[in-house]
Amino acid sequence: MEVNAQHYDDIIIGGGKAGKTLAPALVADGRKTALVERSLNMIGGGCINIACIPTKTMVASANVANTVRNSAVYGVKANTPIVDLAEVIKRKRTVVQSAREMNLHNLKTALDNNLIIGEARFIAPKTIEITTAEGNTRVLTAERLFVNTGTRPLIPSIPGLIEAGFLISESIMELKYLPEHLIVLGSGYIGLEFAQMFRRFGSRVTVIGQSEQILSQQDPDIAIAVQTLLEQDGIEFLLKAKVLRVVRTGNETILQIQVGDREITLQGSHLLVAVGRAPNTDSLNLAAAGVATDTRGFIQVNDRLETNIPGIWALGDINGGPQYTHISLDDYRIIKANLIDGGDSPLERLRQRSTRDRLVPSCLFIDPELAHVGLTETEAQQQGYAIRVAKVDASAVPRARTLGQTDGLLKAIVDADTGRILGCSLLCHEAGEVISTVQMVMQAQMPYTVLRDGILTHPTMTEGLNILFSKL
């Protein structure tokens, strides 16, 4: 231990969902605990400050604009909506600030002066150095350390990109004016949510994707259905495309793009880069602790979230698992079960939680939403299952018709031998809510007939599960 080092039982680096939830639990367990967060503006982590909460707040504004624009369909005449982007962003900031203040209150209540604002880096396996915003340096040691530093936008290596300038998921939510033509580089979750959002705000939008389909992890039929809906919104797509160069001329960003065997030029007012996320590990000096990372820089962990160094764990996006807040929360549950609730006997270790066999739901918050849990049809086939596939158009659901929300597709994959649900994709209104019902049946390992024959409230979107599973 260094002479002037302050010792703790536990130190958490990063206050995302896992870290901020773990800290009070460790304190309640009698552990002297410190949580280090790089900025007061990031209290509570990426989700509430720069990701889930602000984006979904702005998605809500975009959906209101779309409803007003199409109100005549419902027999309500309204003027063409005027989107005030400054007011949209002001509302987003208010929602974020409220959540941040709540998180700050909770952490200060639990940790008092042991909530430390500053940049942390390892200088030994159980020792970190913190540089505060004021430029002061502190050295802390601990018996156990938990890394929860999250991710940041991945910036691809494209000639001219840095010089031309671009938007990322954070800066696009602080624009003062609506883009005339927004080019979105990336056809995954982040790119598509912003694409529809700004199209509904009134921008022209073009999405560039490197793969032959958007949402490359989804089955082709689902991906095509999503693309068709977004094209109906007026979004343009360039797929199987590679950006060769970016140039900024005056108020225009010009992209040289290879599409198949031809080169084209695309011109827009703004460029959003949304091609994935990179881990926030480069400033941690993990080499000083001996902590192993993969080729992309994510910290390697086992199914109990332990790194290769005893006494150091990695939680949330930083460990290379699914990048969802609900997974980060479950990472906390694993740590709590194993270190606070559990014991050290071989039998207790067998009973303890791990990342094995987690059912991971997801939701793409476009309109209509795309929710998924379990295997896709492609994955089920690759794993050798004998499967049965059910599909039904969202228009078959009575509630969808009453709402005028008939676009979309419901799809389920069932094990032909056991009758258990292997996976489900729902592209429909309120899909993010309905998918939880499917997930609970899957977790209980009940057959699909539970949803086929269950008495589900009419008329609701969940009732669509009766219809979907009756197709088997």
Side-chain angles (χ1 to χ4, degrees):
M1 183 189 303
E2 297 207 6
V3 176
N4 297 320
Q6 185 176 3
H7 183 71
Y8 287 86
D9 296 321
D10 299 320
I11 295 174
I12 302 168
I13 306 174
K17 186 65 174 180
K20 73 181 182 184
T21 315
L22 178 61
L26 292 171
V27 171
D29 194 43
R31 309 281 297 180
K32 183 181 179 183
T33 305
L35 188 149
V36 184
E37 179 52 69
R38 60 179 174 163
S39 166
L40 279 171
N41 290 329
M42 287 299 292
I43 291 293
C47 174
I48 69 166
N49 291 290
I50 58 174
C52 320
I53 298 305
T55 56
K56 279 43 170 183
T57 302
M58 291 181 68
V59 163
S61 294
N63 289 345
V64 169
N66 187 65
T67 298
V68 173
R69 191 174 289 115
N70 295 287
S71 63
V73 174
Y74 297 87
V76 178
K77 294 182 179 179
N79 294 327
T80 301
I82 299 173
V83 176
D84 187 335
L85 189 61
E87 287 299 314
V88 170
I89 290 174
K90 179 181 177 182
R91 176 177 179 269
K92 180 265 300 184
R93 289 174 178 168
T94 300
V95 172
V96 168
Q97 183 63 28
S98 175
R100 186 187 299 150
E101 289 174 356
M102 179 187 70
N103 277 266
L104 181 59
H105 171 77
N106 292 343
L107 288 173
K108 281 188 172 181
T109 299
L111 296 166
D112 195 15
N113 292 328
N114 295 319
L115 171 61
I116 303 168
I117 306 302
E119 290 275 355
R121 62 190 293 271
F122 283 93
I123 55 176
K126 297 297 180 68
T127 308
I128 62 170
E129 180 183 79
I130 301 170
T131 303
T132 67
E134 296 78 24
N136 300 321
T137 300
R138 296 177 60 178
V139 176
L140 276 58
T141 66
E143 175 188 342
R144 307 185 303 198
L145 291 102
F146 306 89
V147 183
N148 182 221
T149 50
T151 59
R152 64 184 184 277
L154 175 66
I155 308 304
S157 179
I158 299 174
L161 178 63
I162 302 299
E163 294 80 2
F166 54 89
L167 298 167
I168 58 174
S169 55
E170 298 172 34
S171 57
I172 196 172
M173 292 190 289
E174 291 295 328
L175 286 176
K176 292 180 178 166
Y177 304 103
L178 199 62
E180 179 184 345
H181 180 194
L182 175 65
I183 300 172
V184 179
L185 182 57
S187 58
Y189 277 45
I190 296 171
L192 295 184
E193 285 186 8
F194 280 115
Q196 188 186 57
M197 179 196 304
F198 276 87
R199 177 60 189 154
R200 290 186 168 188
F201 285 155
S203 299
R204 178 188 170 193
V205 177
T206 303
V207 174
I208 301 173
Q210 187 172 356
S211 301
E212 61 183 346
Q213 68 171 53
I214 66 172
L215 301 172
S216 57
Q217 301 303 311
Q218 284 288 339
D219 284 324
D221 54 352
I222 297 294
I224 291 170
V226 172
Q227 182 177 337
T228 300
L229 290 175
L230 294 177
E231 286 174 337
Q232 290 172 1
D233 262 5
I235 297 171
E236 304 164 46
F237 287 87
L238 283 174
L239 301 181
K240 296 184 70 174
K242 179 181 179 181
V243 179
L244 303 176
R245 177 172 294 277
V246 182
V247 177
R248 183 74 179 177
T249 303
N251 294 324
E252 297 294 329
T253 297
I254 302 170
L255 281 71
Q256 297 292 102
I257 307 170
Q258 183 173 335
V259 183
D261 57 358
R262 62 193 177 100
E263 287 189 17
I264 65 170
T265 299
L266 182 64
Q267 193 169 296
S269 60
H270 296 72
L271 172 64
L272 169 66
V273 174
V275 295
R277 307 283 296 180
N280 289 324
T281 50
D282 48 349
S283 63
L284 289 173
N285 193 27
L286 293 172
V291 173
T293 61
D294 65 16
T295 55
R296 299 177 298 160
F298 289 93
I299 296 176
Q300 294 180 314
V301 295
N302 62 16
D303 60 11
R304 291 161 56 88
L305 307 176
E306 299 165 324
T307 69
N308 62 305
I309 302 300
I312 301 180
W313 290 257
L315 297 78
D317 295 357
I318 199 69
N319 64 30
Q323 294 181 18
Y324 303 125
T325 300
H326 42 285
I327 283 295
S328 190
L329 178 61
D330 197 61
D331 283 358
Y332 149 75
R333 295 191 191 105
I334 291 170
I335 296 296
K336 181 175 184 293
N338 294 339
L339 299 186
I340 298 176
D341 302 335
D344 295 323
S345 72
L347 180 60
E348 287 172 324
R349 286 182 67 86
L350 283 173
R351 291 173 176 168
Q352 289 170 351
R353 293 181 71 131
S354 76
T355 59
R356 291 192 305 271
D357 302 322
R358 291 200 286 196
L359 265 181
V360 182
S362 63
C363 187
L364 169 63
F365 288 90
I366 55 171
D367 177 27
E369 296 170 353
L370 171 63
H372 176 81
V373 68
L375 303 178
T376 63
E377 180 180 359
T378 304
E379 290 168 339
Q381 290 171 337
Q382 290 172 344
Q383 294 183 25
Y385 285 99
I387 61 173
R388 300 169 67 189
V389 179
K391 290 185 189 181
V392 68
D393 289 338
S395 59
V397 184
R399 180 61 171 166
R401 294 198 294 272
T402 66
L403 293 169
Q405 297 276 0
T406 55
D407 291 331
L409 173 69
L410 287 67
K411 179 178 180 180
I413 317 302
V414 169
D415 187 329
D417 297 327
T418 66
R420 290 179 181 171
I421 304 168
L422 297 174
C424 185
S425 295
L426 304 176
L427 175 62
C428 65
H429 180 67
E430 297 290 0
E433 305 293 338
V434 178
I435 201 70
S436 296
T437 301
V438 181
Q439 182 184 351
M440 292 305 104
V441 171
M442 293 173 69
Q443 287 185 186
Q445 298 185 358
M446 294 186 289
Y448 77 91
T449 51
V450 170
L451 290 175
R452 184 193 67 188
D453 302 331
I455 303 174
L456 305 176
T457 306
H458 172 81
T460 62
M461 290 305 299
T462 304
E463 183 189 25
L465 299 176
N466 281 156
I467 302 168
L468 174 62
F469 287 100
S470 70
K471 298 297 181 181
L472 292 169

